[in-house]
Amino acid sequence: MSVAERTLIGAPVDRLEGREKVTGAAKYAYEYEAANVVHVVGVAATVPSGRVVRVDAESALKLPGVVAVLWHATAPRLAGDTDPELAIMQSDRVSYRGQWIAAVAAETYAAASAAGRALRIDYEEAEHDSVLTADHPALYTPETVNPGFPSETSQGDVDAALAQADVVVDETYRTPTEHNNAMEPHATLAVWDGDDTLTVYDSNQGVRPVRQALASAFSLDPENVRVISPHVGGGFGSKGTPRPNVILAAMAAKVVGRPAKVAVTRQQMFSVTGYRTPTIQRVRLGATRDGRLTAIAHDVVEQTSMLKEFAEQTAVVTRMLYAAPNRRTSHKLARLNVPTPSWMRAPGECPGAYALESAMDELARALDIDPIELRIRNEPELDPESGNRFSTRNLVGCLREGAERFGWKEPPSRDGRWLVGTGVAASTYPARRQPSQAIARADADGSFTIGIAAADIGTGARTVIAQIAADTLEVELERVHVELGDSRLPPAMIAGGSMGTSSWGAAVVKACRGLRPRLGGELPVEVFADTEEDAGGVEREPVSSHGFGAQFVEVGVDSDTGEVRVSRVLGVFACGRIMNAKTARSQFIGGITMGLGMALLEETLLDGRFGAFVNHDLAGYHVAVNADVPAIEVHWLDEFDEHVNPMGAKGIGEIGIVGTAAAVANAIHDATGIRVRELPITPAKLASLI
């Protein structure tokens, strides 16, 4: 048995960069230094719709340390096909409150901030519309939803099946606007070398999209743009695509002829870095008396911006999770004077599963069938959407294993003022991979270097890539060095969609397998690998690949105040082969924790009169903290899915959040008999009903 087989894949290896991070040696984007740097602050629009008539910069330019003021009359022109969210200061148009319509460059951040406040901006304000409603007159059906699914699907005759069903659940569920709020704000340092060579240090989930966006916007050869991002302090999807800070830093650096730094403030992150769209979801389930689903309908209303279309795939999870001969899903959008929504951990599956899994719990109660048994009875043999077989599917195993470990199901009880109940929900997330490239090099000193333009956003990517390489090469982990987060390295899939490890690992395995036969020759020797042609897996047979899981939750609800306390959570998952037990457990727990916040705390409030997010900081936008998080227990079932990648692994970064909010909502209903169908479930909502 090899060293790798004994100790590496699946082993709870500590993060290789852990010491750098806890000692402060790890550098993040804003911490990089450049000589003669200027600090740049974006200035936000204070109206939700209209045009900028004039920017009076005279008083700002007189302040000490101010170098330049940019607005649409003075900013450099970008290429005409620049992403509308990135095309800052290219016209006088204001599409949402908080949009960057000017910027100030100064010798210090404090000076730039003061000058930004001193700018006098005149607007011609127009009528605005910022509030999403189920019957909004401007609703339309997009052609596709993220990342390219058809917006509508239909099988059988849903209306007839619902009319003939023994039992029907027909309810509407709502989720609010939510913001990603990673620890590290979006930040960029831009350095020009002449007019055609640009280096940026940036906080992102993938250096290649940033390089391409900069090259396109400034009409540069992509080879002359270098993006460096070795350490990233979280993203949750908000850094999966380039953001205006990248463009602003490069723009300001070009104007002043000096390196430029931009750090998005916590408040500005609520406007210019994406968010999860609010949703209004009508779910209809029809079933026989013995709990067989005969019809599923899931219709979603959500929002996008005036600048560009983003349609979250909220109902897509309903297309494959349960069997039913008659099924229909749809998405409708309203274009509003709001920032453009984007990815947030498990986009689509997360809010969609909240509605579907809440409705399944309501159906179980209407039928007087155990919620786990109801799900098992509707387990499909093939993917209901595509008709393909599943590469592996072990949802039933997760439900049964979780039921045994959790002690399912204790009846609801009362402990003084506290009403105690339990809930369960299923989770799923697609298991996919994208083409990536990597190099593997053996050096004369006995060490190995893996190079790949992957991103480690705090998930432990470096460590897992090193484990995969060491396992494939059958060498000690200490001999492997990983280089990532640099656009000069071979291109790779971003850290998103739970595809990072799957995509990167496949390229690393291919490179290391190519290197092994050459280790007996002259060193150093390097092998390049590209998975473009084999990214579909080991076979060409079409299969449906997903991870699965089940979350179990116990809550206590104060019968006087409506306060909810989650006392224990269990998650059981089936996600292929686990690469690192320690980092995997952290990812599952992190997803569950974020799901607790979604269920009970997170909500960005919009004042429709002004088109403004009013709780745009961490004092008003509440996320789960230590006091909100109970002991979370995580287990997984051993699997190996050869269809996804040569490691047999599936992505795990997002599945932990998917079913958690529904499990909490179901537990609250179990405890109180009250069904709250609008997240978050706050004491105010419960106290008025108890």
Side-chain angles (χ1 to χ4, degrees):
M1 181 179 291
S2 71
V3 172
E5 289 174 326
R6 288 198 307 270
T7 63
L8 294 180
I9 296 298
V13 176
D14 291 341
R15 299 185 190 213
L16 301 183
E17 81 285 5
R19 180 174 292 276
E20 292 178 75
K21 286 185 173 178
V22 299
T23 60
K27 277 192 175 182
Y28 293 83
Y30 204 77
E31 295 176 315
Y32 282 89
E33 298 296 335
N36 205 26
V37 68
V38 295
H39 298 263
V40 184
V41 170
V43 179
T46 57
V47 302
S49 180
R51 53 185 291 266
V52 176
V53 176
R54 186 173 71 100
V55 174
D56 182 356
E58 183 178 354
S59 57
L61 287 168
K62 291 179 179 179
L63 293 175
V66 176
V67 177
V69 174
L70 303 179
W71 58 297
H72 73 262
T74 62
R77 297 299 92 188
L78 303 175
D81 60 351
T82 300
D83 181 323
E85 276 285 350
L86 302 182
I88 53 175
M89 296 179 284
Q90 296 302 289
S91 78
D92 62 357
R93 190 69 202 164
V94 177
S95 296
Y96 62 88
R97 183 183 289 269
Q99 181 180 352
W100 281 352
I101 45 88
V104 177
E107 300 293 347
T108 66
Y109 178 82
S113 298
R117 292 190 295 271
L119 286 182
R120 297 172 183 170
I121 303 174
D122 295 330
Y123 299 93
E124 182 182 283
E125 193 167 358
E127 290 187 8
H128 73 277
D129 181 4
S130 305
V131 179
L132 180 68
T133 59
D135 58 352
H136 195 285
L139 287 175
Y140 72 97
T141 301
E143 184 176 342
T144 61
V145 294
N146 178 64
F149 295 111
S151 179
E152 298 180 319
T153 60
S154 181
Q155 299 175 21
D157 190 334
V158 170
D159 293 332
L162 287 169
Q164 297 167 9
D166 294 332
V167 176
V168 174
V169 169
D170 183 351
E171 298 294 350
T172 298
Y173 305 87
R174 289 175 166 83
T175 62
T177 300
E178 297 170 341
H179 278 82
N180 309 57
N181 277 303
M183 283 194 297
E184 180 196 16
H186 297 63
T188 307
L189 165 63
V191 183
W192 287 90
D193 182 3
D195 292 329
D196 62 354
T197 303
L198 174 64
T199 299
V200 300
Y201 301 85
D202 181 62
S203 181
N204 58 65
Q205 291 175 228
V207 293
R208 290 286 165 152
V210 175
R211 184 180 81 158
Q212 187 56 47
L214 287 166
S216 176
F218 292 94
S219 301
L220 302 172
D221 182 341
E223 294 301 319
N224 288 348
V225 180
R226 185 181 184 187
V227 181
I228 300 171
S229 184
H231 298 286
V232 179
F236 307 115
S238 70
K239 298 174 184 175
T241 56
R243 296 297 174 186
N245 52 286
V246 177
I247 300 296
L248 179 56
M251 181 184 287
K254 177 172 279 290
V255 168
V256 303
R258 296 163 56 180
K261 279 186 176 182
V262 175
V264 183
T265 68
R266 182 66 60 180
Q267 290 80 9
Q268 289 175 337
M269 285 171 65
F270 281 76
S271 296
V272 298
T273 63
Y275 61 95
R276 196 193 302 280
T277 175
T279 70
I280 303 169
Q281 305 178 55
R282 183 186 182 191
V283 179
R284 287 171 287 171
L285 304 177
T288 60
R289 290 289 178 192
D290 64 353
R292 308 289 177 177
L293 285 169
T294 58
I296 302 176
H298 191 169
D299 301 299
V300 182
V301 171
E302 50 199 30
Q303 71 189 33
T304 190
S305 74
M306 296 292 185
L307 287 177
K308 60 185 290 190
E309 180 181 282
F310 178 84
E312 186 149 337
Q313 69 276 28
T314 305
V316 167
V317 65
T318 303
R319 297 175 183 175
M320 52 67 61
L321 193 52
Y322 299 114
N326 305 284
R327 40 203 320 120
R328 186 172 66 229
T329 61
S330 72
H331 300 80
K332 291 189 182 299
L333 290 179
R335 287 192 181 277
L336 303 175
N337 292 112
V338 294
T340 306
S342 187
W343 304 328
M344 185 170 174
R345 198 175 201 165
E349 279 78 8
C350 179
Y354 160 67
L356 175 63
E357 289 299 285
S358 295
M360 286 291 286
D361 195 72
E362 296 204 51
L363 179 62
R365 293 180 181 277
L367 292 167
D368 196 24
I369 296 176
D370 180 84
I372 291 178
E373 177 59 28
L374 177 66
R375 289 168 170 84
I376 293 173
R377 290 184 189 182
N378 291 284
E379 173 74 0
E381 292 186 11
L382 301 174
D383 185 329
E385 173 74 6
S386 66
N388 297 331
R389 73 178 181 89
F390 290 96
S391 57
T392 60
R393 178 177 171 124
N394 210 348
L395 174 57
V396 171
C398 293
L399 289 165
R400 287 178 170 158
E401 176 79 9
E404 182 176 346
R405 289 180 176 273
F406 191 75
W408 185 263
K409 172 180 184 309
E410 291 293 325
S413 60
R414 185 170 189 133
D415 182 8
R417 293 192 343 228
W418 292 91
L419 307 174
V420 180
T422 54
V424 66
S427 291
T428 185
Y429 200 79
R432 301 171 291 204
R433 95 184 211 218
Q434 291 292 318
S436 293
Q437 300 174 7
I439 58 167
R441 186 179 71 246
D443 289 308
D445 63 359
S447 66
F448 298 85
T449 298
I450 304 299
I452 183 169
D456 193 333
I457 60 174
T459 57
R462 269 185 192 78
T463 306
V464 171
I465 289 172
Q467 288 178 264
I468 292 169
D471 178 78
T472 307
L473 294 168
E474 296 191 356
V475 300
E476 292 80 10
L477 185 66
E478 294 75 16
R479 295 170 62 186
V480 177
H481 172 68
V482 176
E483 295 179 351
L484 47 69
D486 190 330
S487 62
R488 288 187 175 176
L489 295 168
M493 170 64 190
I494 67 167
S498 292
M499 287 185 275
T501 297
S502 182
S503 304
W504 309 328
V508 169
V509 167
K510 188 172 184 178
C512 290
R513 285 177 176 173
L515 181 64
R516 285 187 62 178
R518 303 178 62 182
L519 293 179
E522 185 177 349
L523 300 178
V525 61
E526 184 175 287
V527 170
F528 169 82
D530 186 348
T531 63
E532 176 70 40
E533 294 185 357
D534 52 8
V538 298
E539 297 178 20
R540 294 299 181 183
E541 174 200 358
V543 294
S544 181
S545 296
H546 300 259
F548 292 93
Q551 282 95 322
F552 296 78
V553 172
E554 180 183 79
V555 302
V557 181
D558 190 309
S559 58
D560 292 336
T561 67
E563 177 188 2
V564 177
R565 284 291 178 184
V566 177
S567 49
R568 59 191 180 108
V569 181
L570 167 68
V572 180
F573 302 95
C575 294
R577 190 182 185 195
I578 297 300
M579 297 286 95
N580 180 317
K582 181 173 287 188
T583 58
R585 192 175 303 279
S586 292
Q587 285 298 293
F588 288 133
I589 290 174
I592 289 171
T593 300
M594 209 163 166
L596 297 178
M598 176 184 179
L600 302 174
L601 301 167
E602 296 193 42
E603 178 180 23
T604 310
L605 300 169
L606 183 132
D607 188 328
R609 297 170 300 170
F610 307 107
F613 293 134
V614 295
N615 57 331
H616 54 285
D617 55 36
L618 293 182
Y621 183 93
H622 298 154
V623 299
V625 297
N626 285 354
D628 301 305
V629 181
I632 299 175
E633 187 179 351
V634 169
H635 295 274
W636 50 80
L637 307 181
D638 291 329
E639 285 189 335
F640 188 97
D641 191 336
E642 65 177 359
H643 293 274
V644 182
N645 53 59
M647 301 89 68
K650 297 179 180 179
I652 61 173
E654 291 165 284
I655 194 171
I657 193 177
V658 172
T660 301
V664 172
N666 295 340
I668 290 171
H669 179 270
D670 187 56
T672 65
I674 297 169
R675 179 69 63 176
V676 179
R677 300 185 181 91
E678 181 176 5
L679 296 183
I681 304 175
T682 60
K685 291 175 184 175
L686 281 172
S688 64
L689 299 171
I690 292 176

